[in-house]
């Protein structure tokens, strides 16, 4: 409202639903940039039911990623593939794009003895679309026979004493390279290890990659590490959301990244 009324000349994080209103104003522009920002669902791999890798794999197969992008982000996002760091030069882009497969999800849950699974998903308005994403996931999960009960809390509660302890929840991250993100969220002792991931083979690969000076060898190590996380990890990375900003045409210099 401040932008439309002329009280300010630039804003960040324009809600996708307001893009049309800004674009209809000849004095304003929208800056819609692809990013490496991601908003995962987080599964604690050390707590039931997610201590069974088959359950984690099933939950990844529940997600219709394009539908979620369309409904939650109004289409302003890129497909995620359960890996972060899409702009890392050593990102494992060769891994198959994961798609929704409800029958396979049901089969994996049955093999894990978890048919008719009921889980609680803790959500909060910690970023644009978080609660809406949780609602869409809960609807999609019904197709695999999974009953997802949403527990909506305020942001203060979400990041309170139970932060990093939720069994099934959400979070948001901005663009990082793979090793930087691992140091923040997935290595043992990382300050924000919300999935409690501690796979020894993955840890060994990452530690070796951190000390490897040969680029080609480091890429091999990181691709193998990403393959393990893609198959067994505790994140559901369904999209990379666009950064949507808006500004007055009187302001110059705002451009999207050349590689976006």
């Amino acid at each position: 409202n401040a932008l439309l009324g002329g009280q300010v000349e630039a804003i960040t994080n324009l809600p996708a639903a307001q893009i049309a209103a800004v674009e209809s104003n000849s004095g304003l522009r929208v800056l819609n940039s692809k990013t490496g920002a991601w908003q995962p669902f987080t599964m604690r791999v050390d707590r039931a039911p997610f201590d069974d890798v088959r359950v984690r794999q099933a939950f990844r197969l529940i997600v219709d990623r394009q539908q979620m992008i369309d409904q939650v982000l109004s289409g302003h996002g890129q497909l995620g593939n359960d890996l972060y760091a899409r702009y890392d030069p050593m990102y494992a882009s060769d891994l198959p794009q994961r798609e929704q497969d409800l029958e396979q999800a049901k089969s994996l849950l049955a093999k894990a003895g978890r048919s008719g699974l009921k889980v609680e998903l803790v959500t909060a308005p910690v970023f644009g679309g978080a609660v809406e994403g949780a609602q869409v996931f809960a609807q999609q999960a019904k197709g695999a026979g999974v009953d997802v009960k949403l527990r909506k809390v305020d942001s203060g509660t979400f990041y309170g004493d139970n932060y990093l302890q939720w069994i099934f929840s959400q979070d948001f991250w901005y663009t990082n390279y793979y090793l930087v993100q691992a140091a923040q969220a997935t290595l043992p002792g990382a300050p924000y290890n919300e999935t409690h991931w501690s796979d020894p083979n993955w840890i060994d690969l990452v530690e070796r990659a951190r000390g490897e000076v040969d680029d080609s060898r480091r890429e091999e190590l990181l691709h193998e590490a990403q393959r393990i996380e893609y198959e067994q990890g505790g994140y559901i990375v369904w999209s990379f959301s666009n950064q949507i900003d808006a500004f007055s045409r009187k302001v110059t210099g705002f451009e999207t990244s050349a590689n976006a």
Side-chain angles (χ1 to χ4, degrees):
N1 287 334
L3 180 72
L4 293 171
Q7 285 83 32
V8 299
E9 293 181 329
I11 62 171
T12 61
N13 299 317
L14 176 72
Q18 299 300 319
I19 289 177
V22 173
E23 288 182 333
S24 66
N25 188 317
S26 61
L28 302 176
R29 287 187 61 192
V30 172
L31 186 67
N32 195 338
S33 308
K34 296 177 183 179
T35 77
W38 50 295
Q39 298 85 33
F41 292 96
T42 61
M43 304 175 286
R44 276 193 64 170
V45 303
D46 63 337
R47 293 287 187 274
F50 301 111
D51 54 349
D52 190 320
V53 67
R54 294 170 295 188
V55 175
R56 304 197 297 273
Q57 291 169 343
F59 270 52
R60 287 171 161 155
L61 292 170
I62 283 171
V63 183
D64 183 331
R65 295 152 202 270
Q66 189 59 57
Q67 181 188 54
M68 192 166 283
I69 290 170
D70 292 342
Q71 293 189 12
V72 177
L73 304 177
S74 299
H76 299 287
Q78 318 306 311
L79 285 174
N81 201 28
D82 299 325
L83 291 173
Y84 39 85
R86 73 185 288 246
Y87 285 130
D88 192 314
M90 298 179 182
Y91 180 69
S93 57
D94 57 328
L95 290 170
Q97 174 62 54
R98 187 164 279 134
E99 298 180 351
Q100 185 185 64
D101 189 334
L102 296 177
E103 292 306 312
Q104 179 65 10
K106 287 191 281 189
S107 175
L108 286 165
L109 290 170
K111 290 176 181 177
R114 293 287 187 176
S115 295
L117 179 63
K118 297 181 179 181
V119 296
E120 179 182 79
L121 171 55
V122 180
T123 185
V126 294
F127 62 86
V131 176
E132 294 81 357
Q135 292 168 340
V136 173
F137 181 87
Q139 287 297 317
Q140 293 177 347
K142 292 178 180 179
V146 176
D147 182 6
V148 178
K149 179 182 178 181
L150 299 184
R151 178 184 172 191
K152 183 180 177 182
V153 301
D154 60 60
S155 299
T157 300
F158 185 86
Y159 288 119
D161 293 340
N162 287 321
Y163 179 53
L164 307 180
Q165 303 304 318
W166 307 118
I167 293 175
F168 186 37
S169 188
Q170 296 167 280
D171 210 340
F172 71 96
W173 291 92
Y174 293 109
T175 306
N176 266 328
Y177 275 13
Y178 190 81
L179 287 176
V180 174
Q181 184 64 44
Q184 292 190 35
T186 42
L187 280 168
Y192 305 107
N193 192 337
E194 53 208 338
T195 67
H196 296 249
W197 174 248
S198 61
D199 181 85
N201 292 331
W202 180 87
I203 293 169
D204 177 65
L205 289 163
V206 168
E207 293 293 354
R208 287 160 58 193
R210 293 170 82 179
E212 180 57 64
V213 296
D214 181 83
D215 286 348
S216 61
R217 178 56 183 151
R218 186 167 64 256
E219 184 171 19
E220 291 176 6
L221 293 168
L222 289 180
H223 273 217
E224 179 61 18
Q226 290 173 81
R227 184 191 63 78
I228 292 174
E229 203 166 1
Y230 171 83
E231 294 176 352
Q232 303 177 32
Y235 281 126
I236 301 172
V237 183
W238 55 275
S239 80
F240 297 97
S241 59
N242 290 13
Q243 174 69 35
I244 307 172
D245 307 315
F247 59 97
S248 166
R249 289 185 181 272
K250 294 184 290 184
V251 181
T252 62
F254 291 127
E255 300 294 340
T256 58
S257 171
N259 64 357

